Amino acid sequence: MNTQLRLNKVKILVWLALFFGGTLNAQIVDTVTLEDLMRVEVTSVSKKPQKLANVSAAVHVISAEDIKLSGANSIAEALELVPGISVLRLNGNRWGVNARGNADRLANRLLVMVDGRNAFNPAYNGVFWEDFQFPLEDVARIEVIRGPASSVWGPNGVVGAINIITKAASSTQGGRVVMGYGNSEGGYGRASFGGRSDDERFFYRGYVSGQDAPNQVGFGGRAPNDASRYGAAGFRVDGYLSDGGRWDASGDFLNRRANGGLDYFLPTFTPPKGEEHTSHALRARYQKALSETSEVQIQSALAYGDLRLGAIQDRRTTFDLDAQHRSRLFDRHDVIFGVNYRYSTDEIPSTPVLSVETPSLALHQIGVFAQDEITVLDTLKLSLGLRLDHSKLAKSATQPSVGLTWNLTPTQTLWARASRAERAPSRGEVGLSLNVVTGLIPSPTGVPALPATIPIISTISTSPTLSPERLDALELGWRSTWSAALSTDVALYFHDLSKMRNIAELLPIIPVPGATPGALAAIITRGLIDNSGAQETVGLEVSTDWRIDRTLRLQLATWLTDTRKNVNNDFAARIPKVTASTRLSWSPSSAWNADLWLKHVSGRSATSASPTKLRNAQTTLDARIGWRFLKAWELAVMGKNLTDSACGVYGAYASVATEASNVVPTCFGRAFAVEVRGEL
């Protein structure tokens, strides 16, 4: 008892020091100054560079150094560094990433971009995180906006936007190699090389990347449908013109194969096993300053994808064109406006698992936006934004935003924001008919012709009048830089999500007769998805970054999410109420660094109406130790879930894991990996 009391006192003292330690300036970091922190810029909030202190949004920036020291081996893992972002590892090669009261593998309310290119697949309005396989070493930073971003980026930036920004080719000259092996990761490797022209107006780099991951440890042993492998390659080139303009282009090519996935089994249909995705993406951008107060930017992208998830297939070509212009007017107005056009054509063959009314469809979407940042006073800025979009699926979407930032002092900022965002129905939701196994029940005893269990098959279709979901949001934040050693960030929000997709109408149950008279081969339930769902969410996000001295850094984050109203049957509100993260980075010398990362996720109880919402509490500890044994080479040893915490994701599915291993997320024990990285 006395030990516990002492621990509690220590915790209280640490928290007091974090929040009021701005006056304790005895140990200021030599390599980071207060001016450095105040000059940090982000570009994703308003499609222009802005000082973080002047942004009226909840923004977090993951640096390249953060990614390396965390031991992350994928973009999804790196996003766990962001307060307010929920990252669920569904099995060995699949992730669910979302924010603020939503958790879904397809993340169709969280927009994802790579260098400003919309990476969303219109088939399901989401991304598969395992498809981002460019080297993490080529990522300059990841800007994460928590809260609506649709007034700039368009429909589907509902609860946030993530922009993965890669390094300019000029900063990745020479060769780099990463090789690793682990009991969970399997073998993986990444290599890239950069060069330049003699006049230093043209820079380039290319990369190759690959991984062969084994089956993971799941419920009671190895998961038989969990292995995956991929091969990827790509390039980036940057050019600098004599007239002051600059351009860059990039390409990414991927082939990924995995067992398991969405291999829903049906009594009368055996779908193809596994998952395969081939994708190619090309992007080009041109920027030029027309004057000291005017700048233009044009970007285009072409993407092709051939995706198969068991019986579900999607072959698609998508073209994007973006143009924008920024100018300063009357000294107090910083105006940016632009237009976006997207064209997508696809083929979605019908199968007994999934069918759509129109197997092949061409879609056009056009959007226009404008943002005005008004300097009301030297310390007070007002931002007004509006975006209009029109398409066959999004109908006509009007998405406004109003933001206010008040610099109380040069290091203390209050901000507030009100906005509306919409999520357009995906291509796959139009005329959808889906048949999936949603449960298993024991078969009657004494009937030898029957299997041990009888599947419950849900046949789900969409309303022909499905309309966009709508979010109205209010946010309030406080961003503080107490010193070069200490900063805090607080965000409070209220989200009112209406017109959500919802299985509102349950049609009569249909029994499927078995081979034996009076026996059943399956039970079929039927449901209709419409827009009758609704959800209200309130939340608080608090983070602290404390550089204790030049060798030690402590990062704390806690976020609370409370779903006050939840009238829907999709994956919303499947995240815990409380998540806490403590990360300690120690660099005692230039040759050594160590990183400890403790994460806690609260549990969630199930109800008789929603048994699959059960979630076990989980506390995990990750660690990374790096040793620079040569000037340009480092050896790292990493451990994940060192506490061997129990499965925390979708715990109610455990009872059917053996029978439905293709669709059940696995749980993970301790994982270890060793990695070597260096420059050639």
Side-chain angles (χ1 to χ4, degrees), residues 218-234:
F219 295 106
R222 307 297 289 183
N225 293 288
D226 212 18
S228 64
R229 63 177 58 185
Y230 79 85

Side-chain angles (χ1 to χ4, degrees), residues 170-189:
S170 58
S171 63
T172 54
Q173 297 294 285
R176 292 160 303 282
V177 176
V178 175
M179 297 176 291
Y181 181 82
N183 62 326
S184 176
E185 301 291 346
Y188 62 91

